[in-house]
């Protein structure tokens, strides 16, 4: 597969909201669109999905214009919503029908994802809980997925939730509606809607916002499964650790323009190894000044130091060794995505990250 | 721009299913049907109350069982013979003892009239160029007999006396019928009204048709437009549009709702209308048996609507009017982002509908041919007027076809606007988008596209 986003632009009146954005994916993986609020991430996604008219540019999927007819797309919108008063199960079936999924497969997928995301009790209220839920509670995919042919991969993430241990018959209840669900559970239902067609291209706009740590971990494990299954994912997020965990390529948008774009490792390499984490047994402030490095943080002889590069770090190490300073830890690393982001979009936007 | 209908069936079936599942809509559905079924009952009961009030005020009819008179004295001073046998079939006089007096006995009878006697005198006045026959009814000063009863007895005698008078001239029964049938006179009418009469449609029929048609259409438009607007605004305010618009063509999203709502509202009208007809028949039967009340069908003449060809016209006109107002409501609804705005969006549509309704009620009184044609061709308003005008013979078939053509073209134009703008309007989560901006969105100038959203 290949996804090419070329020269996308959008103006509202005189205001440019997306300014000639381009990026490309040549194979499965996760691409991140990063940026502060109002940087143009959601507008870019909406143009990619043809929800908004483009002022210029094109989006190609396997050399054809990207659309729901040329590609099986799953989309989790930033502004999430469900019909508040309609039964959840009806809404899932509705979206499946709109995406052309057969009734039989729809039922299988709903059951799979309900179990996988721990929302069975809301979708099938009153149905007996099964022992399979126990496996799910530990973060693994439900056993039923084998039967339905879903791709699941191993995940390092373990999810802690209330285990189910036995079949407990429960009285049949009225179908649940979204207004009876918490925001996080509504979000999981919306994620189910995005996944109902088993998409090859998954577009997740701020997938982790509003989720508690437990549910974030569930979603993480699901995304890992999708990556392992060879899916193409485009993700917009403010959560840098999550992006670093999944993404191979990124574009950082700032004031409607791409300020950084490319492979995450390459980008990091281009910034060089400038973060030095150092632990010694005595104060080294004088040696740091002598070596010309900047101490960012210090706590009981543990230092976070900014260096200009590997040479400067090694000069400092040599100086310490020559002066018989005991170095307990010397860790020289590339900048984190968070640091790159802050550097590129400016410290004034840091609070929005 | 290509207009496609991808997802229309799914949106339609989902909306229809969920509408009937929704407790609020279900309650409204049942409530409206019950209301329509009760309408004839209420009309008849209120008609009965009105008739009773009128009856007690004017005492227009006298029942033979309720007569205060116990004896009627008849003095015939004319040359036309009247016997008890001649009055045997008389509804009032036939039930009372009759005493025939000679003219000589009249004075004595006059002075001796009891409180329960009436003296009826038939006389002939020859003072004018032609002889005039007169019937007088006389009661005592302290009579128990009311003036109304006295008049009824007099008139009743006068009717039979007239027949005897004609018979004395050796006229045939048919000739007598022709004479006693009298001549009905009406208010002066214009040429156009006269033409209506020629086509076999009375003003009562036209008024009944206009009233029923416009009320039904008003119910249809009011219910559906508010439902459609609230449904679209709900979808937008619950942030569902982002997910939907990626899977469904914009026009399908609106059209699916409109068609589903059409089924809902038409079901209300069909079940409610059918129920109303049944309840009307039942009420009529009950009132007919008891001999009381005024049936609504006696007040309004709906016979014109019941003609098969007119029923087809009404159904077609309803569908066209519904679609026109509903698509307008779809555009208005998609321009709003929150429920507070929906009332503003609804106002212009309701204004148009109210205008059409008022004109339809006035339609039977509009006799000017040019005005009839002009009103039948105004988009939106004409949906209320043209079908009634056509059924009443006020406009010809070509004008009626032109009415359809104009409104179908308007509908297509609105659908085009909807298809071109819905996607952008759906993405707008700010203030309500003005109509002018919607037009600019739909038909942008090449050099400078409108950019409200």
């Amino acid at each position: 597969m290949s996804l090419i986003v070329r020269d996308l632009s959008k103006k509202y009146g005189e205001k440019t909201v997306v300014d000639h954005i381009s990026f490309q994916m040549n194979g499965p993986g996760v691409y991140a669109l990063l940026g502060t609020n109002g940087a143009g991430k959601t507008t870019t996604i909406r143009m990619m999905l043809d929800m908004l008219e483009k002022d210029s540019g094109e989006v190609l999927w396997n050399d054809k214009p990207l659309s729901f007819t040329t590609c099986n797309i799953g989309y989790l919108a930033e502004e999430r919503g469900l019909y508040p008063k309609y039964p959840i199960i009806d809404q899932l079936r509705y979206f499946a029908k709109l995406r052309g999924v057969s009734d039989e497969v729809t039922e299988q997928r709903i059951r799979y994802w309900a179990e996988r995301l721990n929302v069975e009790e809301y979708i099938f209220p009153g149905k007996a809980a099964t022992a399979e839920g126990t496996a799910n509670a530990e973060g693994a995919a439900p056993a039923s997925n084998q039967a339905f042919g879903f791709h699941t991969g191993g995940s390092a993430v373990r999810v802690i939730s209330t285990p189910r241990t036995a079949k407990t018959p429960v009285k049949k209840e009225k179908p649940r509606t979204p207004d009876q669900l918490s925001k996080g559970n509504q979000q999981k239902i919306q994620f189910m809607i995005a996944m109902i067609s088993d998409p090859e291209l998954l577009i997740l706009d701020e997938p982790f916002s509003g989720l508690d740590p437990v549910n974030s971990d569930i979603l993480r494990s699901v995304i890992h499964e999708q990556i392992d299954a060879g899916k193409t994912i485009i993700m917009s997020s403010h959560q840098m650790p999550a992006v670093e965990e999944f993404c191979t390529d990124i574009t950082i948008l700032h004031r409607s323009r791409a300020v950084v774009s490319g492979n995450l490792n390459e980008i990091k390499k281009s910034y060089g190894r400038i973060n030095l984490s150092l632990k010694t047994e005595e104060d080294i402030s004088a040696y740091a000044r002598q070596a010309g490095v900047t101490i960012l943080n210090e706590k009981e002889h543990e230092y976070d130091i900014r260096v200009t590069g590997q040479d400067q770090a090694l000069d400092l190490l040599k100086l310490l060794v020559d002066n018989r300073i005991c170095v307990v830890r010397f860790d020289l690393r590339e900048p984190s995505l968070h640091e790159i982001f802050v550097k590129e979009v400016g410290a004034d936007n840091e609070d929005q990250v | 721009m290509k207009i496609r209908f991808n997802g229309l069936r799914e949106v339609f079936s989902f909306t229809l299913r969920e509408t009937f599942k929704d407790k609020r809509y279900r309650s409204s559905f049942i409530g409206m049907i019950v209301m329509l079924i009760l309408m004839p009952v209420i009309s008849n009961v209120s008609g009965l109350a009105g008739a009773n009030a009128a009856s007690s005020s004017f005492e227009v009819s006298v029942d033979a069982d309720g007569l205060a008179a116990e004896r009627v004295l008849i003095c015939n001073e004319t040359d036309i013979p009247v016997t008890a046998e001649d009055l045997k079939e008389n509804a009032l006089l036939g039930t009372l003892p009759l005493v025939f007096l000679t003219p000589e006995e009249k004075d004595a009878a006059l002075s001796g009239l009891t409180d329960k006697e009436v003296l009826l005198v038939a006389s002939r006045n020859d003072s004018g160029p032609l002889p005039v026959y007169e019937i007088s009814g006389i009661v005592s000063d302290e009579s128990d007999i009311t003036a109304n009863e006295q008049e009824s007895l007099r008139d009743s005698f006068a009717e039979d006396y007239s027949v005897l008078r004609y018979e004395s001239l050796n006229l045939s029964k048919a000739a007598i019928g022709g004479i006693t049938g009298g001549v009905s006179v009406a208010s002066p009418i214009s040429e156009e009204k006269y033409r209506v009469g020629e086509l076999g449609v009375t003003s009562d029929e036209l008024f009944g048709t206009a009233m029923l048609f416009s009320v039904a259409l008003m119910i249809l438009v009011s219910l559906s437009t508010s439902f459609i607007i609230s449904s679209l605004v709900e979808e937008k305010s619950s942030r569902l549009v982002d997910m939907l618009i990626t899977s469904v063509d914009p026009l399908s999203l609106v059209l699916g709702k409109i068609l589903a709502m059409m089924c809902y509202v038409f079901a209300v009208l069909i079940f409610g209308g059918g129920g109303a007809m049944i309840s009307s028949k039942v009420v009529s039967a009950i009132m007919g048996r008891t001999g009381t009340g005024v049936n609504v069908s006696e007040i309004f003449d709906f016979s014109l609507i019941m003609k098969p060809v007119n029923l087809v016209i009404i159904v077609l006109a309803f569908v066209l009017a519904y679609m026109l107002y509903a698509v307008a409501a779809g555009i208005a609804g998609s321009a709003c982002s929150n429920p507070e705005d929906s009332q503003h969006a609804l106002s212009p549509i309701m204004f148009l509908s109210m205008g059409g309704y008022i004109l339809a009620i006035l339609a039977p009184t509009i006799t000017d041919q040019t005005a009839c044609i002009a009103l039948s061709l105004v988009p939106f308003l004409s949906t209320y007027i043209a079908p009634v005008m056509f059924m009443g013979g006020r406009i010809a078939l070509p004008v009626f076809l032109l009415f359809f053509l104009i409104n179908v073209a308007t509908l297509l134009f609105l659908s085009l606007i909807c298809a071109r703008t819905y996607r952008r309007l759906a993405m707008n989560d700010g203030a309500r988008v003005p109509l002018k901006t919607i037009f600019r969105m739909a038909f942008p100038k090449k050099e400078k596209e409108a950019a409200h959203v």
Side-chain angles (χ1 to χ4, degrees):
Chain A
M1 60 56 63
S2 75
L3 174 71
I4 299 167
V5 176
R6 190 180 292 148
D7 204 28
L8 282 188
S9 291
K10 181 76 186 170
K11 270 186 173 183
Y12 289 143
E14 295 304 311
K15 193 182 176 201
T16 303
V17 288
V18 174
D19 192 2
H20 301 283
I21 302 289
S22 299
F23 61 88
Q24 187 165 344
M25 291 180 80
N26 293 319
V30 184
Y31 200 100
L33 285 175
L34 310 174
T36 52
N37 295 331
K41 304 184 295 292
T42 300
T43 308
T44 304
I45 288 173
R46 283 176 170 178
M47 281 194 288
M48 285 174 65
L49 292 172
D50 209 19
M51 291 160 65
L52 279 180
E53 284 171 42
K54 311 166 190 74
D55 288 347
S56 74
E58 61 179 353
V59 182
L60 301 175
W61 173 260
N62 293 335
D63 300 324
K64 287 180 185 162
L66 178 68
S67 74
F68 278 75
T69 49
T70 57
C71 176
N72 181 358
I73 308 171
Y75 174 47
L76 180 70
E78 182 194 20
E79 291 184 337
R80 298 180 183 98
L82 295 163
Y83 294 103
K85 297 283 180 194
Y86 295 168
I88 296 162
I89 183 88
D90 289 356
Q91 299 193 47
L92 289 165
R93 287 173 182 151
Y94 174 46
F95 278 96
K97 266 203 181 351
L98 287 176
R99 303 306 313 281
V101 183
S102 71
D103 290 351
E104 193 187 350
V105 175
T106 297
E107 295 309 312
Q108 290 173 353
R109 286 185 183 156
I110 289 173
R111 284 187 186 284
Y112 171 81
W113 284 111
E115 206 175 312
R116 183 73 186 89
L117 298 172
N118 276 344
V119 286
E120 283 174 291
E121 59 185 300
Y122 309 118
I123 297 172
F124 308 108
K127 287 272 168 79
T130 66
E132 287 167 43
T134 311
N136 179 32
E138 290 169 5
S144 54
N145 66 359
Q146 304 297 330
F148 303 146
F150 289 111
H151 311 283
T152 59
S155 169
V157 181
R158 288 297 213 212
V159 180
I160 302 160
S161 67
T162 311
R164 294 169 185 165
T165 51
K167 286 187 179 178
T168 316
V170 186
K171 197 175 76 177
K172 191 167 183 181
E173 295 170 23
K174 278 177 77 177
R176 294 284 178 89
T177 53
D179 59 356
Q180 298 171 311
L181 265 58
S182 68
K183 198 181 166 192
N185 281 323
Q186 285 189 36
Q187 197 165 325
K188 287 199 275 184
I189 302 297
Q190 282 147 358
F191 185 76
M192 284 180 74
I193 290 172
M195 298 303 295
I196 201 79
S197 63
D198 192 21
E200 49 188 324
L201 172 63
L202 189 56
I203 298 181
L204 307 172
D205 199 351
E206 301 291 351
F208 298 102
S209 80
L211 287 181
D212 62 37
V214 173
N215 285 313
S216 287
D217 281 352
I218 292 178
L219 187 58
R220 273 200 178 84
S221 69
V222 168
I223 292 172
H224 273 297
E225 284 170 16
Q226 296 302 309
I227 295 166
D228 293 343
K231 302 290 176 71
T232 304
I233 301 172
I234 291 175
M235 184 191 291
S236 139
S237 180
H238 283 155
Q239 296 192 15
M240 298 302 150
V243 172
E244 277 194 287
E245 183 182 339
F246 303 118
C247 298
T248 46
D249 300 273
I250 63 162
T251 288
I252 297 177
L253 300 175
H254 182 49
R255 292 184 182 148
S256 73
R257 305 176 80 170
V259 288
V260 174
S261 191
N263 181 273
L264 183 57
N265 285 335
E266 296 296 323
I267 290 167
K268 280 186 172 183
K269 265 185 201 167
S270 72
Y271 281 84
R273 291 182 173 169
I274 56 170
N275 290 331
L276 176 60
S277 178
L278 192 62
K279 187 175 180 185
T280 58
E281 287 190 343
E282 56 191 282
D283 183 54
I284 60 154
S285 305
Y287 301 110
R289 275 194 299 277
Q290 194 181 333
V293 299
T294 309
I295 297 175
L296 300 174
N297 195 21
E298 190 231 325
K299 189 183 171 190
E300 293 174 359
H301 307 316
E302 281 193 49
Y303 301 88
D304 289 326
I305 296 170
R306 172 66 45 82
V307 294
T308 54
Q310 192 171 306
D311 291 345
Q312 194 181 33
L314 291 175
D315 287 347
L316 175 63
L317 181 63
K318 184 170 184 298
L319 194 61
L320 295 176
V321 172
D322 289 348
N323 289 282
R324 306 189 66 77
I325 303 290
C326 179
V327 175
V328 179
R329 191 177 73 235
F330 183 91
D331 183 11
L332 184 61
R333 57 181 176 78
E334 292 152 348
S336 67
L337 183 56
H338 177 95
E339 288 164 329
I340 294 171
F341 185 91
V342 171
K343 182 176 185 301
E344 292 302 332
V345 305
D348 56 319
N349 285 314
E350 194 169 6
D351 60 335
Q352 294 173 15
V353 178
Chain B
M1 178 191 165
K2 237 189 240 176
I3 296 177
R4 290 174 303 184
F5 293 97
N6 180 38
L8 175 64
R9 201 180 58 182
E10 287 78 12
V11 176
F12 166 75
S13 55
F14 176 76
T15 311
L16 187 64
R17 197 171 50 243
E18 295 305 328
T19 301
F20 278 101
K21 272 187 181 180
D22 192 311
K23 208 187 281 177
R24 296 167 297 172
Y25 286 101
R26 227 171 33 223
S27 308
S28 306
F29 184 78
I30 294 166
M32 285 183 290
I33 289 174
V34 169
M35 195 185 75
L36 286 170
I37 290 172
L38 288 178
M39 262 175 74
V41 180
I42 294 164
S43 304
N44 279 297
V45 168
S46 60
L48 172 65
N52 286 342
S55 172
S56 61
S57 301
F58 300 109
E59 294 186 275
V60 288
S61 64
V62 172
D63 195 340
D65 297 335
L67 290 172
E70 290 179 351
R71 198 163 72 141
V72 176
L73 310 175
I74 297 170
C75 178
N76 183 8
E77 296 175 342
T78 66
D79 53 345
I80 294 161
V82 179
T83 65
E85 187 65 22
D86 295 327
L87 302 173
K88 199 173 64 181
E89 300 296 319
N90 188 295
L92 293 178
L93 299 174
T95 63
L96 291 169
L98 305 175
V99 176
F100 286 85
L101 305 174
T102 61
E104 292 75 29
E105 292 171 326
K106 189 175 78 174
D107 287 342
L110 273 172
S111 52
L113 275 175
T114 67
D115 296 346
K116 296 196 180 293
E117 286 180 338
V118 180
L119 172 60
L120 298 174
V121 179
S123 57
R124 175 174 159 147
N125 186 347
D126 290 307
S127 58
L130 287 169
V132 175
Y133 291 88
E134 290 174 352
I135 306 291
S136 309
I138 305 145
V139 292
S140 69
D141 292 343
E142 308 225 332
S143 177
D144 291 341
I145 300 160
T146 62
N148 186 46
E149 183 178 329
Q150 186 189 344
E151 281 174 22
S152 298
L153 289 166
R154 184 201 60 197
D155 293 347
S156 177
F157 177 63
E159 274 178 31
D160 282 356
Y161 182 82
S162 293
V163 173
L164 292 169
R165 192 163 60 90
Y166 297 133
E167 279 176 352
S168 70
L169 297 171
N170 291 324
L171 293 175
S172 68
K173 276 202 181 299
I176 293 169
I179 295 164
T180 55
V183 177
S184 170
V185 290
S187 309
I189 56 167
S190 62
E191 182 199 341
E192 285 81 4
K193 273 194 176 176
Y194 181 65
R195 283 180 197 281
V196 171
E198 275 187 332
L199 286 164
V201 179
T202 66
S203 57
D204 283 352
E205 282 177 328
L206 196 59
F207 180 73
T209 305
M211 204 222 45
L212 191 62
F213 179 81
S214 56
V215 166
L217 191 54
M218 183 75 179
I219 293 172
L220 185 80
V221 170
S222 309
L223 285 179
S224 54
T225 50
S226 59
F227 282 160
I228 288 164
I229 289 180
S230 62
S231 155
L232 286 169
V233 172
E234 184 188 31
E235 207 164 76
K236 272 185 77 176
S237 60
S238 63
R239 308 293 181 200
L240 258 162
V241 178
D242 273 27
M243 303 280 275
L244 282 168
I245 215 158
T246 52
S247 311
V248 190
D249 288 317
L251 194 56
S252 299
L253 203 52
V254 180
L255 211 55
K257 283 182 199 309
I258 287 172
L259 293 175
M261 209 44 78
M262 185 166 90
C263 290
Y264 175 84
V265 182
F266 273 61
V268 169
L269 286 182
I270 290 166
F271 286 113
M277 282 173 75
I278 293 167
S279 75
S280 177
K281 296 266 181 211
V282 170
V283 170
S284 301
I286 292 168
M287 287 184 162
R289 198 182 304 149
T290 57
T292 55
V294 176
N295 194 299
V296 72
S297 61
E298 290 169 11
I299 303 170
F300 299 111
D301 190 343
F302 300 139
S303 52
L304 191 59
I305 288 177
M306 296 306 161
K307 290 178 184 168
V309 66
N310 288 347
L311 281 173
V312 173
I313 289 170
I314 287 168
V315 170
L316 286 175
F318 267 28
V319 172
L320 177 66
Y322 172 83
M323 289 303 293
L324 204 55
Y325 281 96
V327 173
I331 294 171
S334 57
C336 301
S337 302
N338 54 64
E340 291 78 37
D341 284 340
S342 53
Q343 199 53 44
H344 296 289
L346 188 59
S347 300
I349 293 160
M350 290 315 296
F351 182 73
L352 271 176
S353 175
M354 281 297 292
Y357 172 76
I358 291 165
L359 284 172
I361 292 291
L362 295 174
T365 64
I366 302 168
T367 52
D368 183 70
Q369 187 72 12
T370 316
C372 286
I373 293 173
L375 287 172
S376 299
L377 299 179
V378 180
F380 284 99
L381 296 181
S382 56
T383 53
Y384 277 92
I385 303 158
V388 177
M389 293 286 194
F390 180 66
M391 285 187 284
R394 297 280 176 92
I395 56 169
L397 183 63
V399 178
F400 188 60
L401 291 176
L402 192 59
F403 145 77
F404 253 98
L405 206 65
I406 288 172
N407 282 287
V408 167
T410 310
L411 175 63
L412 292 175
F413 177 69
L414 290 178
S415 303
L416 180 71
I417 291 177
C418 191
R420 285 187 170 186
T421 59
Y422 186 74
R423 204 182 284 269
R424 289 176 69 182
L425 289 173
M427 293 291 114
N428 172 45
D429 56 1
R432 190 163 67 96
V433 183
L435 192 63
K436 199 170 73 177
T437 312
I438 296 174
F439 272 103
R440 275 200 220 138
M441 277 183 200
F443 309 103
K445 289 177 187 170
K446 281 196 174 167
E447 69 278 14
K448 189 183 176 184
E449 188 179 335
H452 183 91
V453 181

